[in-house]
């Protein structure tokens, strides 16, 4: 099952919506870099998919709170998610 | 587990190059192997020895070089992408009759086949771009 990593803001890029179109049952979504801005928009209350993870450091750097529906991960957790899923797909356009 | 990374972004143009270094450090800390880091497209600028960021900013080049020394990493810069963008080894600079070379120590130039090989030899390829 795939891990989708979104690194661009949904307010400036279609990366998140493109990713959600390709999201399959059993996949996981990880928000990093400006991708964490999704937490202030469509992911803030009821995420479109599950499970959703977020790099805690990138959210903290942008002053964003991580809602209960999203799991915060540190760098070790990021590596673990990549090890648990195959392939790892990065969305940055 | 064996990882390879593909880096498509230049340092300081977005967070992607910094994320790649951070992920490389984390996976090595977690006991995984890093088979190769392949720098492609604008990512070839990560291999320039001439970058001089201000002292209060992260020096990504120094970070990659320290990690390379510590773990004998294979840091490969795509040769075709690098020639276009002016990242040249000594031998490429003299072959192309350019006035200087700037490929940083610890990095090497090679073809796209090295990315295909990394995909074939690794359990995971993680791409950093944008």
């Amino acid at each position: 099952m795939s891990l989708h990593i979104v690194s661009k803001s949904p307010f400036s890029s279609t990366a998140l919506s493109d990713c959600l179109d390709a999201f399959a049952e059993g996949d996981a979504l990880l928000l990093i870099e400006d991708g964490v801005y999704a937490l202030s928009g469509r992911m803030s209350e009821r995420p479109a998919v599950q499970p959703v993870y977020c790099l805690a450091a990138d959210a903290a750097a942008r002053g964003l709170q991580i809602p209960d529906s999203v799991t915060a991960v540190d760098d070790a957790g990021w590596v673990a998610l990549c090890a648990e899923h195959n392939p790892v797909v990065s969305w940055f356009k | 587990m064996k990882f390879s990374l593909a880096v498509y972004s230049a340092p300081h143009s977005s967070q992607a190059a910094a994320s790649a270094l951070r992920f490389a450090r984390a996976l090595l800390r977690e006991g995984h192997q890093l088979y190769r880091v392949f720098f492609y497209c604008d990512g070839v600028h990560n291999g320039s020895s001439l970058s001089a960021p201000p002292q209060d900013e992260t020096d990504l080049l120094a970070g990659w070089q320290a990690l390379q020394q510590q773990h004998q990493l294979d840091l490969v810069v795509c040769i075709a992408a690098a020639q276009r963008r002016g990242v040249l080894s000594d031998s490429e600079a003299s072959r192309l009759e350019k006035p200087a070379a700037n490929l940083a120590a610890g990095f090497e130039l090679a073809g796209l086949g090295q990315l295909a090989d990394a995909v074939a030899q690794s359990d995971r390829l993680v791409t950093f771009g944008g």
Side-chain angles (χ1 to χ4, degrees):
Chain A
M1 293 299 146
S2 307
L3 175 67
H4 300 272
I5 303 180
V6 173
S7 59
K8 289 287 174 258
S9 165
F11 304 109
S12 65
S13 150
T14 59
L16 179 61
S17 60
D18 293 344
C19 162
L20 295 179
D21 287 345
F23 198 92
E25 178 109 26
D27 290 357
L29 172 64
L30 170 64
L31 304 170
I32 70 167
E33 302 177 14
D34 282 347
V36 301
Y37 281 116
L39 299 179
S40 66
R42 57 192 296 179
M43 289 288 169
S44 58
E45 285 174 11
R46 191 185 303 161
V49 294
Q50 280 287 359
V52 181
Y53 300 88
C54 173
L55 264 191
D58 286 358
R62 291 162 178 81
L64 294 168
Q65 298 287 332
I66 299 174
D68 292 341
S69 53
V70 173
T71 307
V73 292
D74 59 9
D75 289 358
W78 184 10
V79 172
L81 283 173
C82 290
E84 288 161 14
H85 296 81
N86 190 27
V88 178
V89 186
S90 300
W91 300 82
F92 49 81
K93 286 288 180 193
Chain B
M1 188 171 275
K2 216 184 274 185
F3 282 79
S4 283
L5 310 184
V7 182
Y8 291 1
S9 288
H12 311 293
S13 66
S14 73
Q15 199 187 331
S19 292
L21 177 61
R22 185 171 141 203
F23 186 78
R25 284 181 177 140
L27 77 87
L28 291 165
R29 206 164 43 228
E30 293 302 303
H32 297 290
Q33 266 179 281
L34 185 47
Y35 179 75
R36 180 169 296 143
V37 184
F38 192 85
F39 298 91
Y40 192 37
C41 302
D42 284 346
V44 300
H45 290 296
N46 286 283
S48 168
S49 62
L50 296 178
S51 65
Q55 282 187 353
D56 60 347
E57 291 183 16
T58 310
D59 187 343
L60 292 178
L61 176 63
W64 281 120
Q65 287 177 318
L67 211 59
Q68 195 278 332
Q69 288 231 317
Q70 203 180 339
H71 298 275
Q72 284 73 51
L73 294 186
D74 194 16
L75 304 179
V76 175
V77 175
C78 173
I79 188 165
Q83 284 171 351
R84 290 187 179 89
R85 291 167 177 80
V87 178
L88 303 176
S89 62
D90 284 326
S91 61
E92 283 301 291
S94 74
R95 187 176 72 81
L96 296 164
E97 299 180 355
K98 296 297 180 185
N102 62 335
L103 183 69
F107 291 75
E108 55 185 309
L109 295 176
L112 201 50
Q114 295 300 302
L115 177 58
D117 172 72
V119 173
Q121 300 295 327
S122 306
D123 300 302
R124 297 288 184 277
L125 176 78
V126 185
T127 303
F128 294 85

